[in-house]
Amino acid sequence: MIAFWEQAWFWPSISVIVGLPLLLLLLTEVQSSLERRHNPMSKVVALLRNAVVPVIAILVLSVQVTDAVDPGRPVVSQVIATVLGFLLIVFVLNGLNILMFTNARKGTWREKIPSIFVDIARVILVAIGLAVVFRIVWGTDIGGIFTALGVGSFVIALALQTAVGPIVAGLFLLFEQPFRLGDWLDIGGTRGRVVEVNWRSVHVDTGEGILITPIGSLAGASFTNLSRTGGTFPVSTDVTFTTDDPPAAVVALLERVASGLPQLYTGTRPKAVPAGGAAYTVSFQVRGPSQEADALAQFRMWLWYAARRAGLGLDGDTTDDFVTDARRDEALAAIAATLYLSGDDSVALAPVVRLERYAAGEVIHRVGTVPDSVRFVLSGSVDLRVPFEDAELPATRVEAGDYVGQTALTREALLTTATALTEVSVLVIPATALDQIVRSTPALARDMGDVIDRRRAEVSAAVSAHVASQQNAVTAS
């Protein structure tokens, strides 16, 4: 009688009973380590641990049982082997996909291959792998299958040559990758951002809807990738003034307004040129096509306010209902107490003051400049910021009843940049006119000196708080 440890089933069974828990424990540790490093291979190891290895163990035990009970018909083992073959195909393909494409370095050929080609190759490999599995496990003649598939594919290709040709051309376009998701394209005069690319079409968001262009049509036509312009994107617009406006003043105004746009590409300068008659063209560079619409909208809004302040007739309109004698006198009456003005003083001051309005985001005073006038805020809010290293730190906010440009009296450079937070209306009083008032009103000189000292203290506090926060961040890290 043969001892049980000498039976054919003994050692394979012992290998499963002992080896399976140990192998699962090892794969669990490997998977946890990969997950902690956010490595995508952790999913492949999970497939190996949760599916492949257990099915191998089941197959080993099944073979022993079926061989002992019914050696002639191991159908159960064949089914398990087929499942194992499919799992091995998935395991190998997922591993290759991660090693070759998921972790591909930017700019390499692996990173440039469109996902559609990877998907097609995966389907083909799965089909070949399953054919091999059926040949090995079930003894199927796969030669006839491949022959039939080859002949059938040839016939289908001839029948669908016209329909499939554009699709193939589109697939080669995808392989070339002249654009990617997020790029801005100009297709036949229509501009938009690419939001989806598949094997059949390209979806472009034009801002007014989604333009769906067949990939084959795009492969046979010309288009412009607006996102590949070397880092800058040119923007230009035409504006008109009146023929009475001095061209030099108009050009200077256009370039000054455009130079303050937050979308302006760093290191570039706007350019404005007369286009004949009352027309002008202004051009500037932004950081990408996605900023074109916002830059133009902000430019046109700022230009309206700046043209009114400069007395130039944008779009041929020289009227300004905001600047009236009644509103000017009302503004003087509102600040009379601040300037210690009597009735006669206000009347004498009226001819030299003026009203101005600023749009939200416009700069009223820039840091480092010496103002030639003081601007009393009548409505709106003004943000005062101090530049420090590569940032602008908030110092304080000026509301209606306060003023900016207070160093006009001392002829000192400003320590902060004053920017309108909302639409702001101000009354502008020249420094020469304020000098005369200060000479006769010592209290006003003392008040303005206090404001200057307070603004300096606010700047110092903002810088100190920023430095302290940086030091705390360094200490915490």
Side-chain angles (χ1 to χ4, degrees):
M1 181 177 178
I2 302 176
F4 70 91
W5 61 82
E6 295 178 353
Q7 299 286 338
W9 54 266
F10 179 77
W11 291 111
S13 301
I14 291 297
S15 299
V16 171
I17 295 172
V18 177
L20 179 61
L22 294 177
L23 185 56
L24 292 179
L25 181 61
L26 176 62
L27 291 176
T28 301
E29 292 299 324
V30 174
Q31 180 186 353
S32 301
S33 176
L34 293 174
E35 287 178 347
R36 287 194 296 270
R37 298 199 298 266
H38 303 286
N39 192 319
M41 283 297 292
S42 61
K43 297 180 179 179
V44 178
V45 176
L47 176 63
L48 179 64
R49 175 189 178 277
N50 299 329
V52 176
V53 170
V55 173
I56 291 176
I58 293 173
L59 178 61
V60 171
L61 296 177
S62 174
V63 169
Q64 303 306 316
V65 173
T66 55
D67 285 348
V69 176
D70 189 4
R73 299 184 59 189
V75 178
V76 175
S77 298
Q78 288 177 305
V79 172
I80 297 174
T82 304
V83 174
L84 176 61
F86 177 76
L87 290 175
L88 286 174
I89 292 171
V90 174
F91 169 74
V92 173
L93 290 180
N94 285 343
L96 290 177
N97 181 62
I98 292 175
L99 291 175
M100 294 188 64
F101 302 108
T102 303
N103 295 329
R105 288 180 295 178
K106 188 174 181 61
T108 61
W109 66 271
R110 294 180 298 168
E111 191 264 344
K112 293 181 179 180
I113 293 180
S115 60
I116 183 66
F117 285 95
V118 178
D119 294 338
I120 292 174
R122 185 182 292 114
V123 171
I124 294 174
L125 292 175
V126 168
I128 295 174
L130 287 177
V132 173
V133 169
F134 275 91
R135 175 68 178 88
I136 296 174
V137 177
W138 300 94
T140 307
D141 182 12
I142 62 176
I145 297 177
F146 282 115
T147 301
L149 288 176
V151 174
S153 300
F154 180 73
V155 173
I156 294 173
L158 289 177
L160 301 178
Q161 181 177 3
T162 303
V164 175
I167 296 178
V168 174
L171 292 177
F172 279 106
L173 176 70
L174 293 178
F175 184 80
E176 183 185 353
Q177 282 197 326
F179 57 84
R180 297 182 180 180
L181 288 177
D183 283 359
W184 284 72
L185 303 182
D186 187 331
I187 305 173
T190 302
R191 291 183 176 183
R193 183 172 60 87
V194 179
V195 295
E196 182 180 346
V197 179
N198 54 49
W199 65 272
R200 193 191 69 83
S201 62
V202 176
H203 296 201
V204 178
D205 185 359
T206 64
E208 299 177 352
I210 302 297
L211 173 67
I212 301 177
T213 302
I215 193 72
S217 301
L218 199 61
S222 299
F223 59 90
T224 303
N225 190 334
L226 302 175
S227 297
R228 300 187 181 181
T229 57
T232 63
F233 181 76
V235 177
S236 64
T237 185
D238 297 327
V239 294
T240 58
F241 285 78
T242 67
T243 54
D244 294 332
D245 293 325
V250 173
V251 167
L253 175 71
L254 293 173
E255 293 180 349
R256 183 171 66 253
V257 173
S259 64
L261 292 173
Q263 299 88 357
L264 188 69
Y265 193 86
T266 305
T268 62
R269 294 177 58 85
K271 181 67 176 178
V273 294
Y280 296 82
T281 299
V282 58
S283 304
F284 51 90
Q285 305 283 331
V286 296
R287 291 186 289 272
S290 61
Q291 298 191 348
E292 178 185 21
D294 291 341
L296 286 175
Q298 195 157 31
F299 172 75
R300 292 180 181 126
M301 182 177 66
W302 287 4
L303 183 60
W304 188 92
Y305 286 89
R308 294 300 189 276
R309 294 195 300 270
L312 301 175
L314 177 64
D315 296 327
D317 184 8
T318 58
T319 62
D320 189 355
D321 295 336
F322 175 74
V323 180
T324 62
D325 291 343
R327 187 172 280 111
R328 179 201 61 195
D329 294 340
E330 181 182 349
L332 275 173
I335 67 169
T338 303
L339 296 180
Y340 301 94
L341 297 178
S342 63
D344 293 339
D345 293 333
S346 298
V347 172
L349 197 58
V352 298
V353 301
R354 67 181 185 275
L355 292 168
E356 289 182 347
R357 280 186 296 181
Y358 292 84
E362 276 196 282
V363 174
I364 301 174
H365 287 304
R366 291 195 179 277
V367 63
T369 60
V370 179
D372 59 0
S373 57
V374 177
R375 286 170 166 80
F376 288 82
V377 179
L378 304 176
S379 64
S381 300
V382 179
D383 187 32
L384 299 186
R385 289 180 171 265
V386 54
F388 183 77
E389 296 178 348
D390 295 331
E392 284 194 342
L393 311 179
T396 188
R397 181 175 296 183
V398 177
E399 306 288 351
D402 205 345
Y403 49 88
V404 294
Q406 64 282 348
T407 58
L409 288 175
T410 59
R411 306 301 189 269
E412 294 176 305
L414 292 169
L415 299 178
T416 58
T417 294
T419 305
L421 289 176
T422 61
E423 183 184 70
V424 173
S425 61
V426 298
L427 181 67
V428 183
I429 301 181
T432 53
L434 276 178
D435 282 339
Q436 298 177 1
I437 300 175
V438 167
R439 291 192 186 100
S440 60
T441 313
L444 176 60
R446 183 174 58 254
D447 292 346
M448 300 198 79
D450 292 341
V451 171
I452 292 174
D453 292 339
R454 186 178 77 243
R455 298 277 167 82
R456 287 174 178 168
E458 291 167 344
V459 168
S460 178
V463 173
S464 299
H466 180 73
V467 171
S469 65
Q470 286 184 322
Q471 292 175 345
N472 292 335
V474 172
T475 303
S477 61

